[in-house]
């Protein structure tokens, strides 16, 4: 498999809601192992584009391919089984469960053991080992047996990403991972995002320019539902069009 292989491709995506065009002929290619950021001011069409990629919306025009397969009309849950996972889709955690129980449940389901999830956790060594690996990687080991409702918000965000990784994605869409996280908890989250597995292709949707520029090796800028430009971080930071778009939006790097 070539390192330059495109794992996710969107071509000419158009999304119309009545007379409104929310996404206008947008194309995007995500390479294997990429760290790709999708940025743009509020109302740029980022959420619509992500909803198209993940199957929440079906495009008016255009095509989406995952690992060379046309998934344009595929249901969201089927995209997950084919390797595309979005943190935003995991929109709530089970407050009464612990991180260990939560991850054991997800790992069991992913490994085809969902009918047995209720068995004692120690009954399947594979589940316990994988859950333990995820707890360690996402800095959750010390809170593994605390009810989720007692976790600090940053830890809850880490657990959401851990759940996504438990599904063993080929493509991971991170939807504003640091949104709402207090300043004192951000560094741990930023370090964990930076240490995501190299073989997972990541598309980051984020307003925090510090995170974007420290994480991404490729960036796509959307404005008014249209692709403004794409390039590496240095090209984006020095692009006059991007500077104009972000003027007054507090983006220190641009």
């Amino acid at each position: 498999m070539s390192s330059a292989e495109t794992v996710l491709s969107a071509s000419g995506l158009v999304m119309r809601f009545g007379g409104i065009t929310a996404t206008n002929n947008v194309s995007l290619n995500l390479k294997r192992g990429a760290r790709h950021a999708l940025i743009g001011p509020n109302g740029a069409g980022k959420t619509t584009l992500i909803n198209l990629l993940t199957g929440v919306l079906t495009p008016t025009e255009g095509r989406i391919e995952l690992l060379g397969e046309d998934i344009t009309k595929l249901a969201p849950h089927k995209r997950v089984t084919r390797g595309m996972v979005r943190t935003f889709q995991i929109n709530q955690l089970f407050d009464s469960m612990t991180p260990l129980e939560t991850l054991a449940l997800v790992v069991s389901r992913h490994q085809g053991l969902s009918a047995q999830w209720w068995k004692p956790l120690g009954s399947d060594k594979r589940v316990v080992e994988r859950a333990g690996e995820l707890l360690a990687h996402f800095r959750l080991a010390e809170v593994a047996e605390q009810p989720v409702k007692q976790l600090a918000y940053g830890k809850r965000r880490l657990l959401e990403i851990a759940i996504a990784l438990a599904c063993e994605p080929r493509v991971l869409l991170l939807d504003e991972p640091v949104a709402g996280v207090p300043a004192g908890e951000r560094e741990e989250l930023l370090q964990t995002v930076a240490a995501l597995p190299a073989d997972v292709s990541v598309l980051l949707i984020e307003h925090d320019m510090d995170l974007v520029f420290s994480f991404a090796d490729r960036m796509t800028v959307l404005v008014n539902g249209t692709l403004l430009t794409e390039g590496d971080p240095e090209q984006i930071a020095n692009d006059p069009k991007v500077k104009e778009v972000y003027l007054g939006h507090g983006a220190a790097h641009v």
Side-chain angles (χ1 to χ4, degrees):
M1 183 180 291
S2 170
S3 61
E5 178 191 4
T6 298
V7 293
L8 177 64
S9 174
S11 305
L13 293 185
V14 175
M15 188 69 224
R16 298 190 186 97
F17 298 100
I20 299 174
T21 302
T23 304
N24 185 18
N25 194 32
V26 173
S27 295
L28 175 74
N29 291 305
L30 192 68
K31 302 295 185 180
R32 180 177 182 265
R35 298 294 185 260
H36 197 130
L38 177 64
I39 66 172
N42 290 331
K46 300 185 299 296
T47 298
T48 299
L49 178 58
I50 296 306
N51 285 338
L52 291 170
L53 295 176
T54 54
V56 175
L57 295 171
T58 300
T60 308
E61 299 175 20
R63 178 184 176 94
I64 303 168
E65 292 185 359
L66 177 64
L67 302 172
E69 178 186 359
D70 186 353
I71 62 165
T72 309
K73 297 183 179 180
L74 200 65
H77 70 278
K78 292 186 177 179
R79 299 185 194 210
V80 173
T81 62
R82 283 166 170 76
M84 181 193 293
V85 180
R86 176 188 183 185
T87 54
F88 184 73
Q89 289 178 329
I90 307 161
N91 52 26
Q92 64 179 22
L93 300 169
F94 295 107
D95 281 349
S96 62
M97 295 178 69
T98 66
L100 175 58
E101 291 168 339
T102 301
L103 289 171
L105 175 58
V106 176
V107 171
S108 293
R109 180 164 185 170
H110 182 72
Q111 295 185 357
L113 304 171
S114 55
Q116 305 171 35
W117 70 268
W118 43 267
K119 288 186 176 181
L121 290 174
S123 64
D124 194 297
K125 185 178 180 181
R126 293 171 299 168
V127 171
V128 176
E129 288 181 349
R130 180 57 179 153
E133 290 171 358
L134 289 163
L135 288 167
H137 183 83
F138 287 93
R139 308 180 186 211
L140 294 165
E142 73 276 15
V143 296
E145 298 189 28
Q146 291 184 19
V148 167
K149 63 184 175 184
Q150 296 179 8
L151 300 184
Y153 188 68
K155 292 292 187 184
R156 292 172 67 97
R157 297 293 285 184
L158 285 170
L159 180 55
E160 290 175 352
I161 302 174
I163 290 170
L165 261 291
C167 298
E168 299 184 12
R170 299 288 298 278
V171 174
L172 175 63
L173 281 64
L174 286 178
D175 198 343
E176 298 193 35
V178 298
V181 177
E185 301 173 36
R186 287 167 58 89
E187 186 58 33
E188 183 177 53
L189 187 56
L190 293 175
Q191 290 177 6
T192 305
V193 169
L196 286 169
D199 61 339
V200 177
S201 305
V202 182
L203 181 61
L204 172 73
I205 306 91
E206 185 55 70
H207 286 290
D208 187 312
M209 290 296 105
D210 288 329
L211 172 55
V212 167
F213 277 87
S214 65
F215 178 80
D217 53 32
R218 191 78 180 166
M219 300 170 66
T220 295
V221 185
L222 286 185
V223 178
N224 296 324
T226 302
L227 178 64
L228 178 68
T229 189
E230 183 174 299
D232 62 37
E234 184 177 359
Q235 290 172 321
I236 297 301
N238 294 305
D239 190 308
K241 296 179 293 183
V242 177
K243 290 181 179 181
E244 181 180 355
V245 166
Y246 274 99
L247 188 63
H249 287 270
H253 292 274
V254 297

